[in-house]
Amino acid sequence: MKAVRFHEFGGPEVLRYEDIPEPEPGPGEAVLRLGACGVNFIDTYQRTGAYNVALPHVAGQEGAGEVVAVGEGVTNIAVGEHAGYTGTGASYAEYVKVSADRLVKLPEGVDDATGAAVLLQGMTAHYLMASTFPLQLGHTCLVHAAAGGVGLLLTQMAKMRGAHVIGTVSTEEKAQLAREAGADDVILYTQQDFVAEVDRITGGAKLDVVYDSVGKDTFDGSLDCLAPRGYLVLFGQSSGRVPPVDPQVLNAKGSLFLTRPTLASYALTREEIDWRASEIFGWLAEGALNVRVGASFALSEAAEAHRQLEGRLTTGKVLLIP
């Protein structure tokens, strides 16, 4: 089968479209013929070596497709059904082997592209707003990269919770997408100081929580946007790794909280996966949640997909189609 691997760490050019053996299911496993693969920033972190993986490495963490084989003991999914998953490597491929207990059966009306577009980023947005800092009516939050895949979903979910949402984006086109997702205020960080704008918008009251996927470029400003005992939820580093932090800074700025969560820690059990996925798919069915696929590339074009994602040229979800 065809897959995308890298044999060394580096830029998008290290991604190779090549032949590798098709996987076979072992006990408790299923093999999917992928209809779509999700592209996420974690894939770029692994490709550059920021997150260490063994080489050579088949890129990707997320996908959806048709079950074509199951191993011994698999009872929750059957050949011919369509399912999605997240948190399983080797996803930039035509076929993938997945532990069956990590699969989420796609409801009727949800195609492979939607399944691959919503699971990792949708469950990320879900844990951010429902678990890491449970938003409630009256909270005010800042969502950096509000027109990105997680940003658009998180904005919509935050509005469902009754929060006031401020988003940051780089262009007017992206600002419009954030507004359509429900953002109450949008800051063009390329033209405005987002810290000053947050102070203006809140009348000096500042924020309960900042959801920051950007990292190095926004970290200090994000802390300055928080009210006493506010939360900085740092869940990505698209601009680079944040330098070491003196905890005394959190004290001086108002007894702040800082956390660096990851989806794996918020999808530890089957019950958690089912809860998050069922709410997301329920909102999709009701029309309460919109998933935007901003760009689709052939599997062989994975390097270009990474270039556009890292260059902040994309909005919404980026997919690879085998």
PDB file of all heavy atoms in Angstrom, residues 125 128-129 135 141-169 177-186 211 288-289:
ATOM      1  N   ALA A 125     -11.443  20.251  21.293  1.00  0.00           N
ATOM      2  CA  ALA A 125     -12.284  21.382  21.682  1.00  0.00           C
ATOM      3  C   ALA A 125     -13.216  21.005  22.828  1.00  0.00           C
ATOM      4  O   ALA A 125     -13.439  21.798  23.755  1.00  0.00           O
ATOM      5  CB  ALA A 125     -13.089  21.867  20.472  1.00  0.00           C
ATOM      6  N   LEU A 128     -11.302  20.809  26.160  1.00  0.00           N
ATOM      7  CA  LEU A 128     -10.872  22.138  26.587  1.00  0.00           C
ATOM      8  C   LEU A 128     -11.992  22.888  27.279  1.00  0.00           C
ATOM      9  O   LEU A 128     -11.784  23.501  28.338  1.00  0.00           O
ATOM     10  CB  LEU A 128     -10.371  22.932  25.380  1.00  0.00           C
ATOM     11  CG  LEU A 128      -9.059  22.478  24.743  1.00  0.00           C
ATOM     12  CD1 LEU A 128      -8.817  23.249  23.445  1.00  0.00           C
ATOM     13  CD2 LEU A 128      -7.886  22.646  25.698  1.00  0.00           C
ATOM     14  N   MET A 129     -13.189  22.848  26.678  1.00  0.00           N
ATOM     15  CA  MET A 129     -14.263  23.682  27.215  1.00  0.00           C
ATOM     16  C   MET A 129     -15.115  22.963  28.259  1.00  0.00           C
ATOM     17  O   MET A 129     -15.807  23.607  29.055  1.00  0.00           O
ATOM     18  CB  MET A 129     -15.150  24.213  26.078  1.00  0.00           C
ATOM     19  CG  MET A 129     -15.976  23.188  25.337  1.00  0.00           C
ATOM     20  SD  MET A 129     -17.583  22.901  26.114  1.00  0.00           S
ATOM     21  CE  MET A 129     -18.076  21.380  25.308  1.00  0.00           C
ATOM     22  N   LEU A 135     -16.422  25.742  30.921  1.00  0.00           N
ATOM     23  CA  LEU A 135     -17.049  27.037  30.676  1.00  0.00           C
ATOM     24  C   LEU A 135     -18.504  27.035  31.140  1.00  0.00           C
ATOM     25  O   LEU A 135     -19.208  26.030  31.031  1.00  0.00           O
ATOM     26  CB  LEU A 135     -17.001  27.368  29.185  1.00  0.00           C
ATOM     27  CG  LEU A 135     -15.629  27.747  28.622  1.00  0.00           C
ATOM     28  CD1 LEU A 135     -15.687  27.819  27.102  1.00  0.00           C
ATOM     29  CD2 LEU A 135     -15.150  29.079  29.192  1.00  0.00           C
ATOM     30  N   CYS A 141     -13.828  34.122  27.493  1.00  0.00           N
ATOM     31  CA  CYS A 141     -12.630  33.378  27.111  1.00  0.00           C
ATOM     32  C   CYS A 141     -12.011  33.985  25.852  1.00  0.00           C
ATOM     33  O   CYS A 141     -12.692  34.628  25.050  1.00  0.00           O
ATOM     34  CB  CYS A 141     -12.947  31.901  26.881  1.00  0.00           C
ATOM     35  SG  CYS A 141     -14.046  31.551  25.490  1.00  0.00           S
ATOM     36  N   LEU A 142     -10.708  33.753  25.715  1.00  0.00           N
ATOM     37  CA  LEU A 142      -9.989  34.134  24.514  1.00  0.00           C
ATOM     38  C   LEU A 142      -9.568  32.856  23.806  1.00  0.00           C
ATOM     39  O   LEU A 142      -8.991  31.956  24.420  1.00  0.00           O
ATOM     40  CB  LEU A 142      -8.749  34.958  24.866  1.00  0.00           C
ATOM     41  CG  LEU A 142      -7.878  35.419  23.688  1.00  0.00           C
ATOM     42  CD1 LEU A 142      -8.616  36.405  22.809  1.00  0.00           C
ATOM     43  CD2 LEU A 142      -6.571  36.035  24.201  1.00  0.00           C
ATOM     44  N   VAL A 143      -9.859  32.786  22.501  1.00  0.00           N
ATOM     45  CA  VAL A 143      -9.463  31.646  21.675  1.00  0.00           C
ATOM     46  C   VAL A 143      -8.477  32.147  20.631  1.00  0.00           C
ATOM     47  O   VAL A 143      -8.847  32.890  19.718  1.00  0.00           O
ATOM     48  CB  VAL A 143     -10.687  30.993  20.991  1.00  0.00           C
ATOM     49  CG1 VAL A 143     -10.234  29.849  20.082  1.00  0.00           C
ATOM     50  CG2 VAL A 143     -11.687  30.491  22.029  1.00  0.00           C
ATOM     51  N   HIS A 144      -7.207  31.784  20.782  1.00  0.00           N
ATOM     52  CA  HIS A 144      -6.230  32.122  19.759  1.00  0.00           C
ATOM     53  C   HIS A 144      -6.431  31.218  18.537  1.00  0.00           C
ATOM     54  O   HIS A 144      -6.921  30.093  18.663  1.00  0.00           O
ATOM     55  CB  HIS A 144      -4.810  31.945  20.295  1.00  0.00           C
ATOM     56  CG  HIS A 144      -4.360  33.037  21.215  1.00  0.00           C
ATOM     57  ND1 HIS A 144      -4.331  34.359  20.838  1.00  0.00           N
ATOM     58  CD2 HIS A 144      -3.898  33.002  22.500  1.00  0.00           C
ATOM     59  CE1 HIS A 144      -3.870  35.093  21.837  1.00  0.00           C
ATOM     60  NE2 HIS A 144      -3.610  34.292  22.861  1.00  0.00           N
ATOM     61  N   ALA A 145      -6.041  31.724  17.363  1.00  0.00           N
ATOM     62  CA  ALA A 145      -6.212  30.969  16.104  1.00  0.00           C
ATOM     63  C   ALA A 145      -7.655  30.523  15.952  1.00  0.00           C
ATOM     64  O   ALA A 145      -7.953  29.358  15.683  1.00  0.00           O
ATOM     65  CB  ALA A 145      -5.260  29.780  16.053  1.00  0.00           C
ATOM     66  N   ALA A 146      -8.572  31.479  16.097  1.00  0.00           N
ATOM     67  CA  ALA A 146      -9.994  31.151  16.154  1.00  0.00           C
ATOM     68  C   ALA A 146     -10.564  30.657  14.835  1.00  0.00           C
ATOM     69  O   ALA A 146     -11.671  30.109  14.814  1.00  0.00           O
ATOM     70  CB  ALA A 146     -10.786  32.377  16.628  1.00  0.00           C
ATOM     71  N   ALA A 147      -9.841  30.833  13.732  1.00  0.00           N
ATOM     72  CA  ALA A 147     -10.321  30.334  12.441  1.00  0.00           C
ATOM     73  C   ALA A 147      -9.674  29.013  12.058  1.00  0.00           C
ATOM     74  O   ALA A 147      -9.917  28.492  10.965  1.00  0.00           O
ATOM     75  CB  ALA A 147     -10.068  31.359  11.336  1.00  0.00           C
ATOM     76  N   GLY A 148      -8.858  28.451  12.942  1.00  0.00           N
ATOM     77  CA  GLY A 148      -8.267  27.144  12.694  1.00  0.00           C
ATOM     78  C   GLY A 148      -9.255  26.031  12.979  1.00  0.00           C
ATOM     79  O   GLY A 148     -10.404  26.272  13.385  1.00  0.00           O
ATOM     80  N   GLY A 149      -8.802  24.794  12.789  1.00  0.00           N
ATOM     81  CA  GLY A 149      -9.705  23.657  12.973  1.00  0.00           C
ATOM     82  C   GLY A 149     -10.252  23.571  14.374  1.00  0.00           C
ATOM     83  O   GLY A 149     -11.478  23.492  14.580  1.00  0.00           O
ATOM     84  N   VAL A 150      -9.378  23.594  15.389  1.00  0.00           N
ATOM     85  CA  VAL A 150      -9.851  23.566  16.768  1.00  0.00           C
ATOM     86  C   VAL A 150     -10.554  24.874  17.111  1.00  0.00           C
ATOM     87  O   VAL A 150     -11.594  24.885  17.772  1.00  0.00           O
ATOM     88  CB  VAL A 150      -8.699  23.301  17.749  1.00  0.00           C
ATOM     89  CG1 VAL A 150      -9.174  23.425  19.194  1.00  0.00           C
ATOM     90  CG2 VAL A 150      -8.108  21.908  17.526  1.00  0.00           C
ATOM     91  N   GLY A 151     -10.003  25.982  16.655  1.00  0.00           N
ATOM     92  CA  GLY A 151     -10.556  27.285  17.012  1.00  0.00           C
ATOM     93  C   GLY A 151     -12.011  27.454  16.633  1.00  0.00           C
ATOM     94  O   GLY A 151     -12.824  27.945  17.435  1.00  0.00           O
ATOM     95  N   LEU A 152     -12.377  27.055  15.409  1.00  0.00           N
ATOM     96  CA  LEU A 152     -13.766  27.188  14.974  1.00  0.00           C
ATOM     97  C   LEU A 152     -14.698  26.292  15.788  1.00  0.00           C
ATOM     98  O   LEU A 152     -15.811  26.699  16.149  1.00  0.00           O
ATOM     99  CB  LEU A 152     -13.879  26.857  13.488  1.00  0.00           C
ATOM    100  CG  LEU A 152     -13.269  27.874  12.520  1.00  0.00           C
ATOM    101  CD1 LEU A 152     -13.294  27.339  11.091  1.00  0.00           C
ATOM    102  CD2 LEU A 152     -14.007  29.211  12.591  1.00  0.00           C
ATOM    103  N   LEU A 153     -14.257  25.070  16.073  1.00  0.00           N
ATOM    104  CA  LEU A 153     -15.084  24.156  16.860  1.00  0.00           C
ATOM    105  C   LEU A 153     -15.194  24.616  18.304  1.00  0.00           C
ATOM    106  O   LEU A 153     -16.279  24.598  18.903  1.00  0.00           O
ATOM    107  CB  LEU A 153     -14.505  22.743  16.791  1.00  0.00           C
ATOM    108  CG  LEU A 153     -14.507  22.095  15.405  1.00  0.00           C
ATOM    109  CD1 LEU A 153     -13.695  20.806  15.423  1.00  0.00           C
ATOM    110  CD2 LEU A 153     -15.926  21.809  14.935  1.00  0.00           C
ATOM    111  N   LEU A 154     -14.078  25.064  18.876  1.00  0.00           N
ATOM    112  CA  LEU A 154     -14.075  25.530  20.263  1.00  0.00           C
ATOM    113  C   LEU A 154     -14.952  26.768  20.419  1.00  0.00           C
ATOM    114  O   LEU A 154     -15.682  26.897  21.417  1.00  0.00           O
ATOM    115  CB  LEU A 154     -12.636  25.822  20.698  1.00  0.00           C
ATOM    116  CG  LEU A 154     -12.427  26.363  22.111  1.00  0.00           C
ATOM    117  CD1 LEU A 154     -13.035  25.451  23.153  1.00  0.00           C
ATOM    118  CD2 LEU A 154     -10.928  26.551  22.380  1.00  0.00           C
ATOM    119  N   THR A 155     -14.901  27.658  19.457  1.00  0.00           N
ATOM    120  CA  THR A 155     -15.751  28.852  19.516  1.00  0.00           C
ATOM    121  C   THR A 155     -17.222  28.458  19.553  1.00  0.00           C
ATOM    122  O   THR A 155     -18.007  28.985  20.364  1.00  0.00           O
ATOM    123  CB  THR A 155     -15.468  29.764  18.319  1.00  0.00           C
ATOM    124  OG1 THR A 155     -14.111  30.228  18.395  1.00  0.00           O
ATOM    125  CG2 THR A 155     -16.406  30.957  18.291  1.00  0.00           C
ATOM    126  N   GLN A 156     -17.617  27.544  18.683  1.00  0.00           N
ATOM    127  CA  GLN A 156     -19.017  27.112  18.659  1.00  0.00           C
ATOM    128  C   GLN A 156     -19.429  26.443  19.965  1.00  0.00           C
ATOM    129  O   GLN A 156     -20.515  26.703  20.511  1.00  0.00           O
ATOM    130  CB  GLN A 156     -19.246  26.147  17.492  1.00  0.00           C
ATOM    131  CG  GLN A 156     -19.088  26.787  16.124  1.00  0.00           C
ATOM    132  CD  GLN A 156     -19.184  25.761  15.009  1.00  0.00           C
ATOM    133  OE1 GLN A 156     -20.268  25.288  14.675  1.00  0.00           O
ATOM    134  NE2 GLN A 156     -18.037  25.400  14.438  1.00  0.00           N
ATOM    135  N   MET A 157     -18.568  25.579  20.493  1.00  0.00           N
ATOM    136  CA  MET A 157     -18.899  24.880  21.738  1.00  0.00           C
ATOM    137  C   MET A 157     -18.936  25.837  22.923  1.00  0.00           C
ATOM    138  O   MET A 157     -19.777  25.700  23.818  1.00  0.00           O
ATOM    139  CB  MET A 157     -17.882  23.765  21.989  1.00  0.00           C
ATOM    140  CG  MET A 157     -17.938  22.630  20.983  1.00  0.00           C
ATOM    141  SD  MET A 157     -16.732  21.322  21.389  1.00  0.00           S
ATOM    142  CE  MET A 157     -16.723  20.395  19.838  1.00  0.00           C
ATOM    143  N   ALA A 158     -18.019  26.823  22.926  1.00  0.00           N
ATOM    144  CA  ALA A 158     -18.025  27.808  24.008  1.00  0.00           C
ATOM    145  C   ALA A 158     -19.324  28.611  24.009  1.00  0.00           C
ATOM    146  O   ALA A 158     -19.871  28.924  25.078  1.00  0.00           O
ATOM    147  CB  ALA A 158     -16.822  28.739  23.869  1.00  0.00           C
ATOM    148  N   LYS A 159     -19.829  28.928  22.827  1.00  0.00           N
ATOM    149  CA  LYS A 159     -21.100  29.655  22.744  1.00  0.00           C
ATOM    150  C   LYS A 159     -22.259  28.792  23.229  1.00  0.00           C
ATOM    151  O   LYS A 159     -23.204  29.298  23.840  1.00  0.00           O
ATOM    152  CB  LYS A 159     -21.342  30.135  21.315  1.00  0.00           C
ATOM    153  CG  LYS A 159     -20.384  31.222  20.832  1.00  0.00           C
ATOM    154  CD  LYS A 159     -20.325  32.413  21.782  1.00  0.00           C
ATOM    155  CE  LYS A 159     -21.672  33.110  21.957  1.00  0.00           C
ATOM    156  NZ  LYS A 159     -21.586  34.225  22.941  1.00  0.00           N
ATOM    157  N   MET A 160     -22.199  27.482  22.966  1.00  0.00           N
ATOM    158  CA  MET A 160     -23.238  26.582  23.495  1.00  0.00           C
ATOM    159  C   MET A 160     -23.277  26.633  25.017  1.00  0.00           C
ATOM    160  O   MET A 160     -24.334  26.475  25.623  1.00  0.00           O
ATOM    161  CB  MET A 160     -22.966  25.137  23.064  1.00  0.00           C
ATOM    162  CG  MET A 160     -23.107  24.846  21.591  1.00  0.00           C
ATOM    163  SD  MET A 160     -22.744  23.080  21.288  1.00  0.00           S
ATOM    164  CE  MET A 160     -22.423  23.114  19.519  1.00  0.00           C
ATOM    165  N   ARG A 161     -22.113  26.860  25.631  1.00  0.00           N
ATOM    166  CA  ARG A 161     -22.021  26.924  27.092  1.00  0.00           C
ATOM    167  C   ARG A 161     -22.407  28.293  27.641  1.00  0.00           C
ATOM    168  O   ARG A 161     -22.427  28.499  28.859  1.00  0.00           O
ATOM    169  CB  ARG A 161     -20.589  26.605  27.519  1.00  0.00           C
ATOM    170  CG  ARG A 161     -20.206  25.139  27.366  1.00  0.00           C
ATOM    171  CD  ARG A 161     -20.428  24.430  28.691  1.00  0.00           C
ATOM    172  NE  ARG A 161     -20.228  23.015  28.614  1.00  0.00           N
ATOM    173  CZ  ARG A 161     -19.774  22.266  29.617  1.00  0.00           C
ATOM    174  NH1 ARG A 161     -19.471  22.841  30.763  1.00  0.00           N
ATOM    175  NH2 ARG A 161     -19.662  20.971  29.508  1.00  0.00           N
ATOM    176  N   GLY A 162     -22.642  29.258  26.756  1.00  0.00           N
ATOM    177  CA  GLY A 162     -23.043  30.582  27.206  1.00  0.00           C
ATOM    178  C   GLY A 162     -21.906  31.535  27.468  1.00  0.00           C
ATOM    179  O   GLY A 162     -22.105  32.601  28.064  1.00  0.00           O
ATOM    180  N   ALA A 163     -20.697  31.187  27.040  1.00  0.00           N
ATOM    181  CA  ALA A 163     -19.541  32.050  27.284  1.00  0.00           C
ATOM    182  C   ALA A 163     -19.481  33.186  26.272  1.00  0.00           C
ATOM    183  O   ALA A 163     -20.014  33.095  25.161  1.00  0.00           O
ATOM    184  CB  ALA A 163     -18.252  31.230  27.208  1.00  0.00           C
ATOM    185  N   HIS A 164     -18.820  34.267  26.668  1.00  0.00           N
ATOM    186  CA  HIS A 164     -18.482  35.353  25.755  1.00  0.00           C
ATOM    187  C   HIS A 164     -17.127  35.003  25.147  1.00  0.00           C
ATOM    188  O   HIS A 164     -16.156  34.775  25.874  1.00  0.00           O
ATOM    189  CB  HIS A 164     -18.395  36.683  26.512  1.00  0.00           C
ATOM    190  CG  HIS A 164     -18.127  37.867  25.634  1.00  0.00           C
ATOM    191  ND1 HIS A 164     -19.102  38.799  25.325  1.00  0.00           N
ATOM    192  CD2 HIS A 164     -16.997  38.285  24.999  1.00  0.00           C
ATOM    193  CE1 HIS A 164     -18.586  39.728  24.545  1.00  0.00           C
ATOM    194  NE2 HIS A 164     -17.299  39.438  24.326  1.00  0.00           N
ATOM    195  N   VAL A 165     -17.069  34.955  23.810  1.00  0.00           N
ATOM    196  CA  VAL A 165     -15.867  34.478  23.125  1.00  0.00           C
ATOM    197  C   VAL A 165     -15.184  35.619  22.383  1.00  0.00           C
ATOM    198  O   VAL A 165     -15.808  36.311  21.569  1.00  0.00           O
ATOM    199  CB  VAL A 165     -16.199  33.350  22.128  1.00  0.00           C
ATOM    200  CG1 VAL A 165     -14.932  32.887  21.412  1.00  0.00           C
ATOM    201  CG2 VAL A 165     -16.854  32.183  22.847  1.00  0.00           C
ATOM    202  N   ILE A 166     -13.897  35.788  22.676  1.00  0.00           N
ATOM    203  CA  ILE A 166     -13.038  36.698  21.916  1.00  0.00           C
ATOM    204  C   ILE A 166     -12.057  35.834  21.140  1.00  0.00           C
ATOM    205  O   ILE A 166     -11.413  34.944  21.713  1.00  0.00           O
ATOM    206  CB  ILE A 166     -12.265  37.651  22.854  1.00  0.00           C
ATOM    207  CG1 ILE A 166     -13.234  38.426  23.765  1.00  0.00           C
ATOM    208  CG2 ILE A 166     -11.392  38.609  22.052  1.00  0.00           C
ATOM    209  CD1 ILE A 166     -12.533  39.197  24.875  1.00  0.00           C
ATOM    210  N   GLY A 167     -11.937  36.062  19.845  1.00  0.00           N
ATOM    211  CA  GLY A 167     -11.024  35.281  19.031  1.00  0.00           C
ATOM    212  C   GLY A 167      -9.927  36.142  18.439  1.00  0.00           C
ATOM    213  O   GLY A 167     -10.135  37.330  18.166  1.00  0.00           O
ATOM    214  N   THR A 168      -8.748  35.552  18.249  1.00  0.00           N
ATOM    215  CA  THR A 168      -7.692  36.242  17.511  1.00  0.00           C
ATOM    216  C   THR A 168      -7.455  35.526  16.190  1.00  0.00           C
ATOM    217  O   THR A 168      -7.492  34.294  16.119  1.00  0.00           O
ATOM    218  CB  THR A 168      -6.358  36.299  18.289  1.00  0.00           C
ATOM    219  OG1 THR A 168      -5.793  34.980  18.385  1.00  0.00           O
ATOM    220  CG2 THR A 168      -6.547  36.887  19.665  1.00  0.00           C
ATOM    221  N   VAL A 169      -7.221  36.310  15.132  1.00  0.00           N
ATOM    222  CA  VAL A 169      -6.975  35.791  13.784  1.00  0.00           C
ATOM    223  C   VAL A 169      -5.973  36.718  13.103  1.00  0.00           C
ATOM    224  O   VAL A 169      -5.677  37.813  13.593  1.00  0.00           O
ATOM    225  CB  VAL A 169      -8.275  35.715  12.951  1.00  0.00           C
ATOM    226  CG1 VAL A 169      -9.283  34.760  13.570  1.00  0.00           C
ATOM    227  CG2 VAL A 169      -8.888  37.104  12.794  1.00  0.00           C
ATOM    228  N   LEU A 177     -14.825  34.177   9.348  1.00  0.00           N
ATOM    229  CA  LEU A 177     -15.110  32.788   9.722  1.00  0.00           C
ATOM    230  C   LEU A 177     -15.313  32.670  11.228  1.00  0.00           C
ATOM    231  O   LEU A 177     -16.210  31.952  11.687  1.00  0.00           O
ATOM    232  CB  LEU A 177     -13.963  31.879   9.273  1.00  0.00           C
ATOM    233  CG  LEU A 177     -13.779  31.708   7.766  1.00  0.00           C
ATOM    234  CD1 LEU A 177     -12.521  30.885   7.494  1.00  0.00           C
ATOM    235  CD2 LEU A 177     -14.998  31.033   7.143  1.00  0.00           C
ATOM    236  N   ALA A 178     -14.488  33.361  12.005  1.00  0.00           N
ATOM    237  CA  ALA A 178     -14.641  33.319  13.459  1.00  0.00           C
ATOM    238  C   ALA A 178     -15.983  33.914  13.881  1.00  0.00           C
ATOM    239  O   ALA A 178     -16.651  33.388  14.783  1.00  0.00           O
ATOM    240  CB  ALA A 178     -13.485  34.054  14.131  1.00  0.00           C
ATOM    241  N   ARG A 179     -16.372  35.012  13.237  1.00  0.00           N
ATOM    242  CA  ARG A 179     -17.676  35.617  13.558  1.00  0.00           C
ATOM    243  C   ARG A 179     -18.811  34.662  13.208  1.00  0.00           C
ATOM    244  O   ARG A 179     -19.791  34.522  13.967  1.00  0.00           O
ATOM    245  CB  ARG A 179     -17.844  36.938  12.810  1.00  0.00           C
ATOM    246  CG  ARG A 179     -16.892  38.040  13.262  1.00  0.00           C
ATOM    247  CD  ARG A 179     -17.213  39.362  12.593  1.00  0.00           C
ATOM    248  NE  ARG A 179     -16.170  40.357  12.856  1.00  0.00           N
ATOM    249  CZ  ARG A 179     -15.228  40.705  11.993  1.00  0.00           C
ATOM    250  NH1 ARG A 179     -15.201  40.151  10.779  1.00  0.00           N
ATOM    251  NH2 ARG A 179     -14.311  41.601  12.320  1.00  0.00           N
ATOM    252  N   GLU A 180     -18.705  33.992  12.060  1.00  0.00           N
ATOM    253  CA  GLU A 180     -19.746  33.040  11.658  1.00  0.00           C
ATOM    254  C   GLU A 180     -19.849  31.878  12.642  1.00  0.00           C
ATOM    255  O   GLU A 180     -20.922  31.296  12.818  1.00  0.00           O
ATOM    256  CB  GLU A 180     -19.462  32.518  10.250  1.00  0.00           C
ATOM    257  CG  GLU A 180     -19.652  33.580   9.165  1.00  0.00           C
ATOM    258  CD  GLU A 180     -19.183  33.110   7.794  1.00  0.00           C
ATOM    259  OE1 GLU A 180     -18.698  31.951   7.683  1.00  0.00           O
ATOM    260  OE2 GLU A 180     -19.282  33.901   6.832  1.00  0.00           O
ATOM    261  N   ALA A 181     -18.725  31.534  13.283  1.00  0.00           N
ATOM    262  CA  ALA A 181     -18.735  30.470  14.288  1.00  0.00           C
ATOM    263  C   ALA A 181     -19.318  30.929  15.617  1.00  0.00           C
ATOM    264  O   ALA A 181     -19.565  30.099  16.502  1.00  0.00           O
ATOM    265  CB  ALA A 181     -17.321  29.939  14.508  1.00  0.00           C
ATOM    266  N   GLY A 182     -19.538  32.249  15.762  1.00  0.00           N
ATOM    267  CA  GLY A 182     -20.174  32.765  16.959  1.00  0.00           C
ATOM    268  C   GLY A 182     -19.323  33.669  17.816  1.00  0.00           C
ATOM    269  O   GLY A 182     -19.787  34.118  18.874  1.00  0.00           O
ATOM    270  N   ALA A 183     -18.089  33.953  17.414  1.00  0.00           N
ATOM    271  CA  ALA A 183     -17.232  34.817  18.233  1.00  0.00           C
ATOM    272  C   ALA A 183     -17.895  36.176  18.435  1.00  0.00           C
ATOM    273  O   ALA A 183     -18.381  36.796  17.487  1.00  0.00           O
ATOM    274  CB  ALA A 183     -15.869  34.988  17.576  1.00  0.00           C
ATOM    275  N   ASP A 184     -17.915  36.644  19.674  1.00  0.00           N
ATOM    276  CA  ASP A 184     -18.534  37.936  19.993  1.00  0.00           C
ATOM    277  C   ASP A 184     -17.637  39.096  19.591  1.00  0.00           C
ATOM    278  O   ASP A 184     -18.124  40.151  19.179  1.00  0.00           O
ATOM    279  CB  ASP A 184     -18.827  38.006  21.495  1.00  0.00           C
ATOM    280  CG  ASP A 184     -19.790  36.924  21.945  1.00  0.00           C
ATOM    281  OD1 ASP A 184     -21.001  37.086  21.717  1.00  0.00           O
ATOM    282  OD2 ASP A 184     -19.329  35.919  22.509  1.00  0.00           O
ATOM    283  N   ASP A 185     -16.333  38.909  19.728  1.00  0.00           N
ATOM    284  CA  ASP A 185     -15.353  39.928  19.344  1.00  0.00           C
ATOM    285  C   ASP A 185     -14.201  39.216  18.653  1.00  0.00           C
ATOM    286  O   ASP A 185     -13.821  38.102  19.043  1.00  0.00           O
ATOM    287  CB  ASP A 185     -14.819  40.673  20.574  1.00  0.00           C
ATOM    288  CG  ASP A 185     -15.898  41.453  21.302  1.00  0.00           C
ATOM    289  OD1 ASP A 185     -16.257  42.544  20.821  1.00  0.00           O
ATOM    290  OD2 ASP A 185     -16.378  40.949  22.336  1.00  0.00           O
ATOM    291  N   VAL A 186     -13.640  39.862  17.641  1.00  0.00           N
ATOM    292  CA  VAL A 186     -12.523  39.279  16.909  1.00  0.00           C
ATOM    293  C   VAL A 186     -11.400  40.315  16.830  1.00  0.00           C
ATOM    294  O   VAL A 186     -11.634  41.470  16.478  1.00  0.00           O
ATOM    295  CB  VAL A 186     -12.934  38.834  15.498  1.00  0.00           C
ATOM    296  CG1 VAL A 186     -11.739  38.211  14.774  1.00  0.00           C
ATOM    297  CG2 VAL A 186     -14.092  37.839  15.557  1.00  0.00           C
ATOM    298  N   TYR A 211      -7.416  30.086  25.813  1.00  0.00           N
ATOM    299  CA  TYR A 211      -7.089  28.832  25.131  1.00  0.00           C
ATOM    300  C   TYR A 211      -6.054  29.166  24.056  1.00  0.00           C
ATOM    301  O   TYR A 211      -6.361  29.801  23.047  1.00  0.00           O
ATOM    302  CB  TYR A 211      -8.338  28.221  24.498  1.00  0.00           C
ATOM    303  CG  TYR A 211      -9.401  27.813  25.504  1.00  0.00           C
ATOM    304  CD1 TYR A 211     -10.587  28.543  25.627  1.00  0.00           C
ATOM    305  CD2 TYR A 211      -9.223  26.699  26.306  1.00  0.00           C
ATOM    306  CE1 TYR A 211     -11.566  28.161  26.535  1.00  0.00           C
ATOM    307  CE2 TYR A 211     -10.200  26.308  27.218  1.00  0.00           C
ATOM    308  CZ  TYR A 211     -11.371  27.046  27.325  1.00  0.00           C
ATOM    309  OH  TYR A 211     -12.334  26.659  28.233  1.00  0.00           O
ATOM    310  N   ALA A 288     -26.222  21.950  15.211  1.00  0.00           N
ATOM    311  CA  ALA A 288     -25.706  22.927  16.169  1.00  0.00           C
ATOM    312  C   ALA A 288     -24.204  23.140  16.024  1.00  0.00           C
ATOM    313  O   ALA A 288     -23.660  24.121  16.534  1.00  0.00           O
ATOM    314  CB  ALA A 288     -26.021  22.475  17.598  1.00  0.00           C
ATOM    315  N   LEU A 289     -23.528  22.216  15.346  1.00  0.00           N
ATOM    316  CA  LEU A 289     -22.075  22.295  15.181  1.00  0.00           C
ATOM    317  C   LEU A 289     -21.755  22.154  13.703  1.00  0.00           C
ATOM    318  O   LEU A 289     -22.237  21.224  13.032  1.00  0.00           O
ATOM    319  CB  LEU A 289     -21.387  21.181  15.976  1.00  0.00           C
ATOM    320  CG  LEU A 289     -19.859  21.207  16.019  1.00  0.00           C
ATOM    321  CD1 LEU A 289     -19.369  22.400  16.843  1.00  0.00           C
ATOM    322  CD2 LEU A 289     -19.320  19.906  16.613  1.00  0.00           C
TER     323      LEU A 289
END
